[in-house]
Amino acid sequence: MPTQILLLLVVLVFSSNIARAQDDCTELIQGVVPEGEETHFFIDFEVPEGTAEIEVRHEDLSSANILDWGLDDPNGFRGWGGGKSEPAIVNERAASPSYVPGPIVPGVWEVVVGKAQIEETPAEYEVCIILRTEPTLEPQPRSPYQDPGALNDETRWYAGDFHIHTVQSDGRPTMREALEFADSVGLDFVMLSEHNTNSGLTLYGDLQPDFPTLLMIPGFEWTSYSGHAHAIGATEWVDQKIGVRGITMEGAIQGIQEQGAIFSIDHPTVPGGTFCIGCPWDIPVDPTSVEGVEVQGGIWEAIDFYEDLCADGSHATAVGGSDDHEGGQGSGVLYSPMGMPTTMVYASELSVAGIIEGVRNGRVVTKVNSNDDPMLETELSGERVGNTVFSDSSTLSVRVTEGSGNTLQIIKNGSVVQSVSVDSDPFVYQMAVEAPAEGEDRYRHQVVDAALEPTTIGSYVWLRASEGSSDDGSSSGCSCRAATASDRDTLFLSVVFAFGALFWRRRR
């Protein structure tokens, strides 16, 4: 068949499919992306009484432009598909991945459109709205999220991964497939951190009983076009559209933290542009409001970013996350499966509250390559409250296991102050430290291999002078030190926590 005829047939078939798709539309909306600095715009459509299901098909009509897509009902958020090409479908008892089922409220709904990448102008789009009186999606086993409680009441180190994606955002695996792989590699907890949606949360109740030793941590990845962050422990969606309709970064952080969740910046040093839209962190933020930094996000390290943030006053915990989008089945030099890195959290129990408390208190170690990397456990003697120890003179000690042949680095305020060969297993090292007369010093450890590449990274612990403490343990001029005697006793019994040091290029 001549090439010209083949191309003509392809064009005719494609045109016919478009025509049939348009014939299905209750309303076909064609337009041009508005110019200006605002990152999002909105397309209104009317939903009448008696509507049982809504389907929204969308096209950016360009191979160069990228638009993101979401859906709001008259009461607010109904889902965020991001750059997905698949349509959004919602009814009362079911929804397509990334979207939230619920009553189909009559009134004005909005298609939310994000200007992810505009290379060609005018940038055109097409939206097909289909309103049905009968649902096409079958009911799904959804229920309101409930905390599963403690899966294990032992106080110990728990292994997990805070950064995993499934079909509920831009990942390939189903939620069950992701959980099965995490369980198979020995993780104790995972967070399915979907982009700008909590759509999978109502499926946790159906899945968690099938994984009695693997805790599902609620949360999501708050994703803007100028940076990504984790909301560890969050159950309520928080708007990411900074600069649109009065949304601010400060308000977003507040919305996360008011839920008792942790605001933690993700992969701040990943290349941006067309490689990863919005991935590098480029938003001015109060360092003291940042509670975590992903110092190892997949293959990407961010230790300098972490050090700079801590130097500016943050008490952030250093965490890790694989950013796995393939359910453990990917390949290539840029791919990290679940558990690479593995984040170790010292917690009083394997529960959502226990893991969050461990992270907030800085009791975290990141094993760069896998759970088989060396482990380090750090203690700073004195009165500990959260991630701060109050003592004029203190002993900084560390216990390294499975680390023989490597090097232990001791970091103070961003600089390596000692490097020691790990020549036994276990290996214990101590040094005396003095609190500064004013302010605070910070200490952490890390283990590096023969090539000085990090294998194990710990979080900082801060040391302040004990001056100003009162007999009842309450604060005297230091807002970070409000603790009762019983609180101190509980915290002091938890004597091991982990933090590590400077790392260079990650070993694959």
Side-chain angles (χ1 to χ4, degrees):
M1 181 182 295
T3 302
Q4 294 88 342
I5 297 177
L6 180 60
L7 290 173
L8 178 60
L9 288 174
V10 169
V11 171
L12 289 174
V13 170
F14 182 69
S15 301
S16 177
N17 287 339
I18 291 177
R20 285 197 298 272
Q22 292 178 348
D23 289 342
D24 293 338
C25 300
T26 305
E27 182 179 2
L28 180 64
I29 305 170
Q30 297 171 315
V32 174
V33 174
E35 296 183 0
E37 294 184 357
E38 285 202 337
T39 55
H40 296 74
F41 65 99
F42 306 85
I43 303 169
D44 295 350
F45 64 96
E46 188 77 30
V47 175
E49 291 275 3
T51 303
E53 184 176 86
I54 299 171
E55 179 174 350
V56 181
R57 302 172 185 171
H58 42 71
E59 279 287 345
D60 56 28
L61 303 177
S62 169
S63 60
N65 296 337
I66 300 175
L67 299 178
D68 288 336
W69 305 91
L71 185 64
D72 287 353
D73 70 15
N75 298 318
F77 179 76
R78 289 302 292 264
W80 180 256
K84 283 185 173 181
S85 59
E86 297 84 359
I89 304 175
V90 295
N91 65 43
E92 185 169 10
R93 300 179 61 188
S96 54
S98 304
Y99 293 87
V100 180
I104 303 301
V105 182
V108 177
W109 289 52
E110 292 179 324
V111 178
V112 184
V113 189
K115 297 188 285 187
Q117 176 179 293
I118 305 297
E119 298 288 344
E120 295 179 349
T121 57
E124 299 178 324
Y125 63 85
E126 182 175 279
V127 174
C128 170
I129 308 295
I130 302 173
L131 306 178
R132 301 188 177 102
T133 56
E134 295 291 336
T136 61
L137 288 183
E138 294 295 324
Q140 297 164 340
R142 294 183 182 258
S143 59
Y145 172 77
Q146 290 187 338
D147 190 322
L151 304 190
N152 188 323
D153 60 5
E154 184 181 357
T155 299
R156 65 174 176 86
W157 290 96
Y158 291 98
D161 193 329
F162 284 115
H163 200 156
I164 298 168
H165 294 280
T166 75
V167 294
Q168 290 297 328
S169 58
D170 59 345
R172 182 199 61 79
T174 65
M175 295 172 68
R176 182 174 294 277
E177 288 170 341
L179 294 171
E180 288 173 346
F181 183 83
D183 203 28
S184 74
V185 295
L187 297 183
D188 299 305
F189 67 87
V190 292
M191 189 173 102
L192 305 182
S193 52
E194 314 297 1
H195 295 285
N196 295 329
T197 184
N198 58 357
S199 58
L201 207 62
T202 53
L203 295 168
Y204 279 32
D206 181 61
L207 291 166
Q208 181 67 83
D210 294 340
F211 299 90
T213 62
L214 178 65
L215 177 67
M216 300 175 68
I217 303 287
F220 56 87
E221 186 170 5
W222 182 92
T223 306
S224 78
Y225 297 133
S226 298
H228 300 186
H230 265 76
I232 300 174
T235 58
E236 300 295 328
W237 173 80
V238 175
D239 204 329
Q240 81 281 3
K241 299 184 287 291
I242 300 300
V244 178
R245 294 182 171 178
I247 303 301
T248 65
M249 187 70 250
E250 293 76 14
I253 295 174
Q254 182 179 0
I256 291 169
Q257 295 177 340
E258 283 180 344
Q259 302 181 50
I262 291 173
F263 174 76
S264 179
I265 294 175
D266 289 342
H267 49 59
T269 59
V270 171
T274 57
F275 180 82
C276 188
I277 296 172
C279 285
W281 188 263
D282 192 29
I283 307 174
V285 64
D286 178 0
T288 63
S289 69
V290 180
E291 299 168 284
V293 172
E294 197 174 64
V295 294
Q296 193 72 48
I299 68 166
W300 306 101
E301 62 184 51
I303 201 68
D304 288 343
F305 182 94
Y306 177 59
E307 290 288 1
D308 290 344
L309 198 70
C310 291
D312 287 340
S314 175
H315 274 213
T317 297
V319 299
S322 65
D323 203 359
D324 189 351
H325 285 65
E326 302 294 333
Q329 307 305 312
S331 62
V333 296
L334 298 180
Y335 177 65
S336 294
M338 280 175 252
M340 182 181 179
T342 296
T343 302
M344 307 295 296
V345 179
Y346 189 77
S348 59
E349 61 183 18
L350 182 59
S351 68
V352 174
I355 296 298
I356 290 176
E357 180 185 32
V359 174
R360 184 165 279 128
N361 290 340
R363 300 180 182 272
V364 176
V365 169
T366 300
K367 295 184 174 183
V368 174
N369 299 295
S370 75
N371 198 15
D372 295 329
D373 282 341
M375 182 63 185
L376 62 81
E377 302 173 74
T378 303
E379 178 184 353
L380 187 62
S381 64
E383 179 189 359
R384 178 166 180 161
V385 180
N387 55 23
T388 303
V389 169
F390 295 86
S391 180
D392 296 330
S393 300
S394 183
T395 299
L396 177 67
S397 61
V398 61
R399 184 176 187 267
V400 179
T401 53
E402 304 295 330
S404 294
N406 294 294
T407 298
L408 172 70
Q409 294 179 330
I410 299 95
I411 314 301
K412 175 184 178 181
N413 298 335
S415 299
V416 178
V417 293
Q418 287 194 37
S419 294
V420 184
S421 296
V422 179
D423 55 10
S424 63
D425 189 15
F427 176 81
V428 177
Y429 187 80
Q430 295 183 336
M431 62 183 293
V433 294
E434 300 290 328
E438 296 182 356
E440 58 191 6
D441 286 331
R442 64 186 191 273
Y443 294 90
R444 65 184 180 89
H445 296 105
Q446 76 177 12
V447 176
V448 298
D449 63 16
L452 299 181
E453 295 178 339
T455 63
T456 312
I457 305 162
S459 292
Y460 269 121
V461 62
W462 281 259
L463 178 63
R464 298 180 68 96
S466 58
E467 180 182 357
S469 62
S470 57
D471 293 338
D472 65 359
S474 61
S475 173
S476 178
C478 177
S479 62
C480 62
R481 198 172 172 273
T484 65
S486 61
D487 288 334
R488 295 200 314 276
D489 291 342
T490 300
L491 289 165
F492 196 64
L493 288 173
S494 303
V495 294
V496 278
F497 72 101
F499 62 91
L502 180 68
F503 67 91
W504 297 275
R505 186 174 178 182
R506 166 165 178 193
R507 184 180 68 186
R508 290 289 303 173

